Amino acid sequence: MTPIGSEMQWLSQAEREARILAPYAMHSCDSSGRKHPEAEHPYRGPWQRDRDRILHSSAYRRLSGKMQVFTGEMGDYHRTRLTHTQEVATIARTIGRALMLNEDLIEALALMHDIGHPPYGHAGEDALHECVADIGGFSHNRFALTIVEELELRYNGFTGLNLTREVLAGQATRADKQNAGLHRLLEVQLVDAADSMTYDAHDTDDALKLRLVTLDEMQEVPLVRAVVAEVRSRYHQLTPQLLRKTVVHRLIDLQVSDTLARCQRELQASDFNSPAEAIASDFRIGPGAELAGQKRELERFLYERVYRHPRLVAVRTAAQDRLRRMYEGYCSRPELIPAHYQERLHQVGPRRMAVEYIAGMTDRFCEETFAAHFAG
Ligand code: MG
């Protein structure tokens, strides 16, 4: 080991990346920079700075109070939007490091990917979308861009976080998946793939823990059946809790290992010399065809038996009703929206403002606000 002292060689960001990243990875020296130019930071690269800006944003912190699939009243065990995000970032970084992609860019993209979620998950998003469907609708992926470009106020001289163009473009492809499929950096593709691996595993875990389904019922799904059989043959005396947990981390491990093996094989064979070559090719980051099919079966089961479970449908219906009434209430009485949003209200109008204000709320704040102003 090199002793710390005068002989120590400090590496610049570019030197470090040149040593550890593949030619098809995005190197920070090739970044297209920011809308408002900023001097380089002495020891953090551009995507480390983006990651930190997202991490310190108000919208990111509020993810701890936003549901992923299951609401707060159902217990404290299951994932919130924040812990989901951290799991996505971790899984994406694990794969990214093994594929020699840019982990800083991956982490920034992952921490940002769900920052635009409204309260009550997709149910909340659907309700808000209906409210403004005739003026462009509402999408959490697009709202993430609005947050980081317009709503977060942290710096003098400009609104938003002034993130790099790569992070903004990566999020933009999430907002517009049909048109953007051909132009996505491998780092962007990876975060999407990790998102799916993460929720397939943790929604299985949470659904079992909340007893919405049993492990026996879930073995209808061939992937779960195979994993349970493998875990049981390896460990003979697992308690039900340990069995569940082992099955879930095996589900993560299987998806990560399969994706890695397939991608390493194909990346080696394709010999891309730049991110542009990788983007232009047919190669896409994700699991092999067999596992992709098995994941679709698992997702179908989760959709039908978990996401549409009567306990969740009841919570969701009540939440959507609250959001609609709040939207109507804020449209007819915009003075209820805090004074520091007045300028924004003039810019975007009362309907968009109502949706943006509601979308920023945590589940709990939304319930309190509803009770205070609109419950009568
Ligand atoms: Mg997600």
Side-chain angles (χ1 to χ4, degrees):
M1 226 178 114
T2 317
I4 294 179
S6 55
E7 323 229 327
M8 187 84 177
Q9 277 279 313
W10 301 107
L11 296 179
S12 71
Q13 186 77 16
E15 288 165 337
R16 186 176 173 278
E17 290 183 357
R19 287 193 189 187
I20 62 173
L21 299 186
Y24 50 73
M26 192 63 203
H27 291 235
S28 60
C29 57
D30 295 326
S31 168
S32 317
R34 306 170 191 278
K35 183 176 170 195
H36 305 280
E38 293 182 41
E40 271 183 38
H41 190 276
Y43 50 85
R44 285 184 305 158
W47 297 313
Q48 284 177 286
R49 295 173 86 180
D50 283 2
R51 171 204 61 200
D52 296 344
R53 289 174 188 200
I54 296 161
L55 184 74
H56 292 286
S57 69
S58 319
Y60 183 82
R61 280 194 301 284
R62 285 198 220 110
L63 294 178
S64 70
K66 298 195 183 204
M67 65 180 254
Q68 177 70 17
V69 175
F70 310 105
T71 54
E73 68 238 47
M74 298 175 88
D76 294 327
Y77 174 85
H78 56 262
R79 276 71 179 174
T80 65
R81 196 61 62 181
L82 181 67
T83 59
H84 160 75
T85 296
Q86 288 170 323
E87 290 185 34
V88 172
T90 304
I91 288 173
R93 282 188 54 184
T94 296
I95 299 172
R97 184 179 300 186
L99 295 179
M100 301 198 291
L101 291 170
N102 196 311
E103 281 180 63
D104 294 335
L105 176 55
I106 288 166
E107 194 176 13
L109 290 163
L111 293 192
M112 173 158 174
H113 90 282
D114 267 351
I115 208 173
H117 251 289
Y120 312 117
H122 290 283
E125 175 168 28
D126 292 345
L128 293 179
H129 175 70
E130 280 164 30
C131 293
V132 284
D134 61 319
I135 54 165
F138 174 83
S139 125
H140 78 273
N141 282 320
R142 244 183 293 139
F143 190 52
L145 289 169
T146 306
I147 289 172
V148 301
E149 292 188 291
E150 298 173 56
L151 300 183
E152 286 283 336
L153 300 175
R154 297 184 55 81
Y155 300 97
N156 259 333
F158 52 80
T159 57
L161 303 178
N162 200 29
L163 302 178
T164 59
R165 294 192 170 90
E166 290 75 28
V167 168
L168 295 175
Q171 181 64 28
T173 66
R174 290 181 64 82
D176 190 7
K177 278 190 181 147
Q178 282 101 345
N179 294 330
L182 294 172
H183 305 288
R184 301 165 80 213
L185 290 169
L186 297 183
E187 284 84 354
V188 176
Q189 295 177 28
L190 172 55
V191 171
D192 253 11
D195 191 21
S196 152
M197 295 180 214
T198 307
Y199 59 64
D200 280 355
H202 69 43
D203 290 352
T204 298
D205 186 34
D206 290 349
L208 291 170
K209 170 75 179 173
L210 287 167
R211 298 178 199 273
L212 299 177
V213 286
T214 65
L215 193 53
D216 280 348
E217 289 168 336
M218 282 213 77
Q219 288 186 67
E220 268 178 38
V221 181
L223 177 62
V224 177
R225 191 160 66 236
V227 169
V228 171
E230 188 218 309
V231 168
R232 281 209 165 109
S233 74
R234 218 194 290 181
Y235 312 100
H236 297 293
Q237 301 231 303
L238 288 177
T239 61
Q241 287 96 318
L242 263 186
L243 174 63
R244 186 189 82 238
K245 290 179 187 182
T246 311
V247 164
V248 170
H249 59 72
R250 191 62 201 120
L251 263 180
I252 298 175
D253 189 41
L254 193 82
Q255 297 181 84
V256 170
S257 306
D258 183 277
T259 302
L260 251 185
R262 191 205 130 234
C263 292
Q264 279 177 329
R265 204 169 47 238
E266 292 192 20
L267 284 169
Q268 197 124 45
S270 56
D271 212 15
F272 300 129
N273 270 314
S274 67
E277 279 184 25
I279 289 170
S281 77
D282 290 337
F283 173 77
R284 293 290 174 270
I285 290 193
E290 190 189 348
L291 184 60
Q294 291 176 324
K295 276 167 63 62
R296 279 194 293 277
E297 288 165 339
L298 170 59
E299 285 163 10
R300 207 173 307 132
F301 179 93
L302 289 170
Y303 180 75
E304 283 164 12
R305 303 283 292 278
V306 177
Y307 307 147
R308 283 162 44 173
H309 191 282
R311 268 173 75 191
L312 276 183
V313 170
V315 170
R316 207 158 39 220
T317 309
Q320 290 189 321
D321 182 53
R322 276 198 296 275
L323 291 187
R324 284 188 209 104
R325 287 168 65 185
M326 288 172 81
Y327 167 77
E328 297 293 340
Y330 284 123
C331 284
S332 55
R333 292 159 67 198
E335 68 277 9
L336 288 175
I337 294 173
H340 61 273
Y341 288 110
Q342 287 309 309
E343 199 186 322
R344 179 86 187 155
L345 194 145
H346 286 299
Q347 272 170 20
V348 299
R351 295 183 64 199
R352 178 63 56 187
M353 185 67 245
V355 163
E356 287 186 355
Y357 182 52
I358 296 168
M361 295 179 182
T362 60
D363 301 350
R364 184 185 51 79
F365 184 77
C366 188
E367 270 154 45
E368 286 171 7
T369 309
F370 178 78
H373 298 301
F374 308 107

